[in-house]
Amino acid sequence: MPASVRAGAMSHAIFRVARLHRMVAGQLLRRVGLHTGQELVMMQLWDRGPQRQTDLVRLLGSDAATMTRTIRRLEHAGFVRRCPCADDKRVTIIEPTTASLALRHEVEQIWAELERGVTDDLTPDQQTEAIDVLERIEQSLARAAERNA
């Protein structure tokens, strides 16, 4: 580890793991024509049904500009459709297309494969402990984000 990062050994480890996780996820998702993050939007739509674009932003912890680009790309690929809300024309509803439903099983298999890649060398107890530690790290970071806002 570079001397300059020793003071942030935990942050450096998280960065390395997140980068590798994203890279492997991207490799797997390319098989079905998706980019990393697009599958999360599709999972929300498959599980919850049509959603307001603003709700997808909130649910996925995204920002409006990123979500707009993601939705545009998914729409261009034929996986989602944008519709104006019947009650409020300013609101856009995003819904999965029939074509995306055929993709669901493949995305679920990709996530299972990614999960195996993450947990291969961990016992069930270690997996539980790792999830607990990651949840505590997430809570700490959320508090730090609030303080810095």
Side-chain angles (χ1 to χ4, degrees), residues 98-142:
T98 305
S100 81
L101 298 177
L103 196 65
R104 183 177 187 164
H105 180 69
E106 293 178 73
V107 169
E108 289 170 349
Q109 286 182 323
I110 286 169
W111 265 72
E113 186 176 341
L114 182 60
E115 185 75 3
R116 285 190 301 276
V118 168
T119 61
D120 236 8
D121 294 335
L122 300 175
T123 66
D125 286 344
Q126 290 170 324
Q127 290 175 39
T128 300
E129 184 180 346
I131 290 169
D132 182 54
V133 169
L134 288 168
E135 286 172 349
R136 287 184 290 173
I137 290 170
E138 181 182 18
Q139 291 167 1
S140 293
L141 286 171

Side-chain angles (χ1 to χ4, degrees), residues 82-102:
R82 283 191 249 204
C83 306
C85 178
D87 302 331
D88 186 346
K89 296 299 181 198
R90 297 169 298 172
V91 174
T92 301
I93 303 294
I94 310 302
E95 59 184 34
T97 63
T98 305
S100 81
L101 298 177

Side-chain angles (χ1 to χ4, degrees), residues 39-52:
E39 84 283 11
L40 298 173
V41 172
M42 295 311 308
M43 289 174 175
Q44 289 294 332
L45 295 172
W46 292 326
D47 289 347
R48 296 173 180 256
Q51 297 286 308
R52 296 181 322 163

